[in-house]
Amino acid sequence: MPFSVKILGSNASVPAHNRNQTSQLLTMMQVPFLIDCGEGTQLQLKKNKIKAQKIDHIFISHLHGDHYYGLIGLISSLHLYGRQKDLNIYGPPGLKDIIAINLKYSQTNLNYKINLTEWEYGDKQLLFENQNIQIYSFPLNHRIPCSGFLFEEKPKKRRINRKLLPIDLPPSRIIQLKNGEDILDEEGKVKYANKEYTLPPAPSRTYAFCSDTKYDEAIIPYIQGVDMLYHEATFMEDMKERAAQTHHTTTTEAALIAQKANVGRLLIGHFSTRYKDLQPMLDEAKSVFEKTELALEGHEFSED
Amino acid sequence: MPFSVKILGSNASVPAHNRNQTSQLLTMMQVPFLIDCGEGTQLQLKKNKIKAQKIDHIFISHLHGDHYYGLIGLISSLHLYGRQKDLNIYGPPGLKDIIAINLKYSQTNLNYKINLTEWEYGDKQLLFENQNIQIYSFPLNHRIPCSGFLFEEKPKKRRINRKLLPIDLPPSRIIQLKNGEDILDEEGKVKYANKEYTLPPAPSRTYAFCSDTKYDEAIIPYIQGVDMLYHEATFMEDMKERAAQTHHTTTTEAALIAQKANVGRLLIGHFSTRYKDLQPMLDEAKSVFEKTELALEGHEFSED
């Protein structure tokens, strides 16, 4: 089962150069997760032909406007479109107050329920779990409480080797094989050895989202070895001091984090408006960590 | 001095059919006034090459999201662009709380001052006055407190008839003529009669903005005889009951208001998403009030 990340926006602070503010849609084990929601995200969803009503889970990293000003508009539109199923939101302390005050003054009683989990800043925290996936928050190092998110596929079952499988095997036996068991005959002897009729499980994929943060090696344990890492890279290396002052990261620093955490691929984003042409940012990051790509709006990055 | 209205959005409730939510820029006596600020208004300003920093006055009609969800993003971007001059906002009770809570959680100390006037619902109220213009709020009839806005140019000075004016007349004398005075000679006799050397003042223009409201003739006294009226027309006449239930207006009703108030021109907007093609709305309104136009995004309507 592949996962994919569709970039809906990746500009820092303000929309500029036809680049919107942070938002992306991760689809893992067929479940869509919206991560951050800058102003205009509902328009970006439309533009990318993503049905907003399919989204049941929204993650907000922190309460700087470029990461959440589109949330209340999306909540409101889902209501106006007639949504009835619950919407699950995972965000920083304070988000509940912000949503509540907007709904209060518009005198809106939503026709669906919001389940809002406000993560606590400071620890790795399990936010979501189903039979296939676990999602955690973990602390980043920014000016205000800010969390990264780690999306992990759980270990998968063994795959049936259909070429060798006896045609008449009933479904209950196939499940046994997928669960790693041998199939025994009536005398309790191994009839079909698991190893012979199955292949190893597909790999369990992992994705980590880190925005916004200053360069901080303390985040490495949380993202160690992920298949794909999104890490902010607001500035180029010559703006290193400015990056540190504003609690942001440079391209080189993001690449260093990727290298030290031994991740599979790196996506960089949250580009400062000062950079219209992003190629130099990519080149600089690649000089440290070759498997770097720009998190460009509309682009999709997937893993098998 | 002409005034002009640039439409930045005019769809109701949600963005659809490439139509954004309500916002428009009125420029009167060379001062730009932003009226309502749906999500993405800052992007619409960019698209229409309007410099956001030039805007010193923003009017918000009510606290339904499609009329103000873009305000906090605009406030935030003005800060990030380095604004230092005051921003004056005129809006409904509650707007101060909403802005404050967003700034609180983002730990933002704006580097400029917001002067926020919360109008009281119910009476005509003077919100703004300078030497050339007066702006009033007046009550509309909607589900939550909602104000219309009346923009009035003050009576203008007489215009010098330059064809007849003696070339050697000093500036102080010209001001006297503009003020409607005769110029006397040393003996106190009329040397230059005002009537001979001046033309009547240019007309003082008026613009009224009415969104959202149900059909209500009680608003007519506030907008009587304005040169241009923007009035919402969410539905067509066959949806009259739905319009009444939701405290909105039909095309025919908007045109009736325009007719009864004897306005110069009518702009209709706040189109329901159910109408992709707006021509039938225009036709229906024109059948009652010929001088009707669609408040289409990107269009500009001006008066000399």
Side-chain angles (χ1 to χ4, degrees), chain A residues 15 39-40 42 68 97 102 105, chain B residues 39-40 42 68 97 102 105:
Chain A
E39 183 175 355
Q42 60 174 316
Y68 84 93
D97 290 352
N102 282 284
Y105 284 111
Chain B
E39 184 176 353
Q42 61 172 315
Y68 84 93
D97 289 352
N102 281 286
Y105 283 112

Side-chain angles (χ1 to χ4, degrees), chain B residues 149-216:
Chain B
F149 301 111
L150 174 66
F151 298 79
E152 284 185 345
E153 290 178 3
K154 290 184 181 176
K156 297 173 183 173
K157 296 189 172 177
R158 294 187 70 82
R159 291 170 295 174
I160 300 296
N161 188 341
R162 300 213 172 264
K163 284 182 190 162
L164 300 178
L165 196 73
I167 290 170
D168 61 346
L169 212 61
S172 60
R173 296 301 191 200
I174 293 179
I175 290 169
Q176 274 186 290
L177 285 173
K178 283 186 176 179
N179 286 338
E181 297 169 27
D182 294 326
I183 294 177
L184 309 179
D185 63 15
E186 287 170 4
E187 290 172 10
K189 289 185 185 164
V190 173
K191 188 172 175 190
Y192 301 116
N194 192 283
K195 277 188 191 170
E196 285 178 37
Y197 294 93
T198 65
L199 300 167
S204 295
R205 297 301 188 184
T206 46
Y207 177 69
F209 173 86
C210 297
S211 169
D212 302 357
T213 185
K214 71 188 298 185
Y215 178 79
D216 189 348

Side-chain angles (χ1 to χ4, degrees), chain A residues 13-16 20-21 38-43 46 63-65 68-74 76-77 80-81 93-95 97-98 101-108 143-145, chain B residues 13-16 20-21 38-43 46 63-65 68-74 76-77 80-81 93-95 97-98 101-108 143-145:
Chain A
S13 308
V14 296
N20 282 267
Q21 295 157 314
E39 183 175 355
T41 293
Q42 60 174 316
L43 288 166
K46 269 183 198 283
L63 293 181
H64 280 151
Y68 84 93
Y69 281 167
L71 180 62
I72 187 69
L74 181 58
S76 176
S77 293
L80 292 162
Y81 294 147
L95 188 55
D97 290 352
I98 291 172
I101 203 167
N102 282 284
L103 296 179
K104 171 185 155 190
Y105 284 111
S106 63
Q107 297 179 18
T108 303
R143 298 195 299 281
I144 61 172
Chain B
S13 307
V14 296
N20 282 267
Q21 295 158 313
E39 184 176 353
T41 293
Q42 61 172 315
L43 288 166
K46 268 181 197 287
L63 292 180
H64 280 152
Y68 84 93
Y69 281 167
L71 180 61
I72 187 68
L74 181 57
S76 176
S77 292
L80 291 162
Y81 293 147
L95 189 55
D97 289 352
I98 291 172
I101 202 167
N102 281 286
L103 297 180
K104 171 186 155 190
Y105 283 112
S106 64
Q107 296 179 18
T108 303
R143 299 196 298 283
I144 61 172

Side-chain angles (χ1 to χ4, degrees), chain B residues 60-281:
Chain B
I60 301 293
S61 67
H62 66 302
L63 292 180
H64 280 152
D66 53 334
H67 296 260
Y68 84 93
Y69 281 167
L71 180 61
I72 187 68
L74 181 57
I75 287 171
S76 176
S77 292
L78 292 175
H79 166 71
L80 291 162
Y81 293 147
R83 185 183 181 99
Q84 296 198 311
K85 62 179 173 170
D86 288 11
L87 180 67
N88 305 291
I89 303 177
Y90 313 84
L95 189 55
K96 199 175 279 187
D97 289 352
I98 291 172
I99 294 171
I101 202 167
N102 281 286
L103 297 180
K104 171 186 155 190
Y105 283 112
S106 64
Q107 296 179 18
T108 303
N109 290 312
L110 293 178
N111 43 27
Y112 64 92
K113 190 179 163 207
I114 292 180
N115 303 313
L116 182 51
T117 304
E118 290 187 345
W119 41 256
E120 284 177 44
Y121 182 68
D123 283 320
K124 184 172 174 180
Q125 187 181 335
L126 181 66
L127 295 180
F128 170 89
E129 181 169 20
N130 68 11
Q131 60 178 354
N132 299 317
I133 307 172
Q134 284 179 314
I135 305 172
Y136 298 90
S137 64
F138 58 89
L140 299 177
N141 186 341
H142 198 43
R143 299 196 298 283
I144 61 172
C146 184
S147 276
F149 301 111
L150 174 66
F151 298 79
E152 284 185 345
E153 290 178 3
K154 290 184 181 176
K156 297 173 183 173
K157 296 189 172 177
R158 294 187 70 82
R159 291 170 295 174
I160 300 296
N161 188 341
R162 300 213 172 264
K163 284 182 190 162
L164 300 178
L165 196 73
I167 290 170
D168 61 346
L169 212 61
S172 60
R173 296 301 191 200
I174 293 179
I175 290 169
Q176 274 186 290
L177 285 173
K178 283 186 176 179
N179 286 338
E181 297 169 27
D182 294 326
I183 294 177
L184 309 179
D185 63 15
E186 287 170 4
E187 290 172 10
K189 289 185 185 164
V190 173
K191 188 172 175 190
Y192 301 116
N194 192 283
K195 277 188 191 170
E196 285 178 37
Y197 294 93
T198 65
L199 300 167
S204 295
R205 297 301 188 184
T206 46
Y207 177 69
F209 173 86
C210 297
S211 169
D212 302 357
T213 185
K214 71 188 298 185
Y215 178 79
D216 189 348
E217 295 184 6
I219 70 170
I220 292 174
Y222 301 115
I223 60 173
Q224 189 70 48
V226 295
D227 292 292
M228 197 187 294
L229 168 67
Y230 169 90
H231 195 290
E232 74 126 295
T234 308
F235 298 103
M236 290 189 66
E237 187 62 9
D238 64 342
M239 299 284 291
K240 193 173 179 164
E241 278 184 31
R242 172 99 177 121
Q245 280 162 8
T246 56
H247 284 239
H248 285 299
T249 308
T250 70
T251 41
T252 304
E253 290 170 340
L256 267 173
I257 291 284
Q259 188 188 64
K260 288 178 192 242
N262 195 29
V263 308
R265 300 160 71 180
L266 170 65
L267 308 183
I268 53 171
H270 202 260
F271 310 115
S272 165
T273 298
R274 75 184 59 227
Y275 307 112
K276 189 174 180 184
D277 176 13
L278 302 174
Q279 189 61 41
M281 301 192 89

